[in-house]
């Protein structure tokens, strides 16, 4: 069974997801096309209308700066990241929109709401001796042109206020990390599904490296243990899509 809402999700490994909307827009999440599972190179990306990066770790910020410099998408992001991008992107921050958790912006006909994520953030500075702080980690709820809503949780553990995300924004599908070690694994992700109240889930952030050992089958088993047998898991191979 597909989603049936004229929205396509293509997974390029790790947390890198390309979304094509009913209005023909392209959204890129955490565009690290250099990850070992990706079937696409950053150089071959020819369109990005909206860029969404959940946090400043290198495996999520990835190719975002290079792509934004070339394609100039609208880039809603947490305030501290927007300040850094103002100094980093050619031409400054004319394409970035600083915001914070609980805020909603509308760009290219698409509504973007920033939510909490339970994780860390930061990366090595240019000299490799200090940590560059790029703001707190976040998730995003996106509403596309026809009202279809989805939630990209970013890197996170399950947290109780996912119930509020479900109550407030009612996403139709949740993109949840399941790999473990750096994020929640299948057991925690099953509870996240229950808290969110979603019936469709797309696992992300697993299988990139052996340490990210959670699998969609393990998530299915954990959902079944919670009696959530009516939840559909959409787990495309890297480079394949869900629609």
């Amino acid at each position: 069974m597909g989603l049936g809402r004229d929205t396509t999700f293509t997974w390029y490994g790790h947390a890198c997801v390309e979304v094509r909307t009913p209005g023909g827009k392209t959204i890129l999440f955490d565009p690290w096309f250099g990850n070992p599972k990706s079937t696409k190179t950053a150089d071959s990306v020819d369109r990005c209308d909206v860029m969404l990066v959940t946090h400043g770790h290198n495996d999520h910020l990835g190719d975002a700066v290079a792509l934004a410099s070339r394609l100039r998408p609208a880039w809603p992001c947490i305030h501290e990241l927007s300040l850094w991008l103002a100094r980093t992107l050619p031409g400054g921050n004319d394409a970035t929109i600083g915001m914070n958790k609980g805020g909603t912006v509308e760009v290219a006909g698409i509504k973007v709401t920033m939510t909490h994520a339970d994780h860390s953030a930061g990366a090595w500075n240019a000299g490799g001796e200090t940590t560059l702080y790029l703001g707190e980690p976040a998730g995003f709820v996106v509403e596309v042109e026809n009202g279809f809503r989805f939630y990209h949780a970013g890197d996170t553990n399950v947290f109780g206020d996912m119930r509020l995300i479900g109550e407030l924004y009612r996403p139709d599908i949740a993109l949840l990390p399941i790999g473990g070690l750096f994020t929640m694994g299948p057991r925690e992700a099953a509870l996240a599904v229950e808290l969110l109240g979603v019936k469709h889930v797309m696992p992300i952030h697993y299988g990139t490296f052996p340490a990210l050992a959670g699998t969609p089958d393990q998530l299915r088993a954990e959902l079944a243990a919670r009696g959530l047998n009516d939840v559909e898991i959409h787990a495309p191979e890297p480079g394949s899509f869900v629609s």
Side-chain angles (χ1 to χ4, degrees), residues 15 54 74 111 227:
T54 60
K111 293 180 181 177

Side-chain angles (χ1 to χ4, degrees), residues 189-206:
L191 176 56
V193 171
E194 184 174 335
L195 291 170
L196 291 163
V198 293
K199 298 302 181 184
H200 296 271
V201 181
M202 181 174 167
I204 57 173
H205 207 282
Y206 71 96

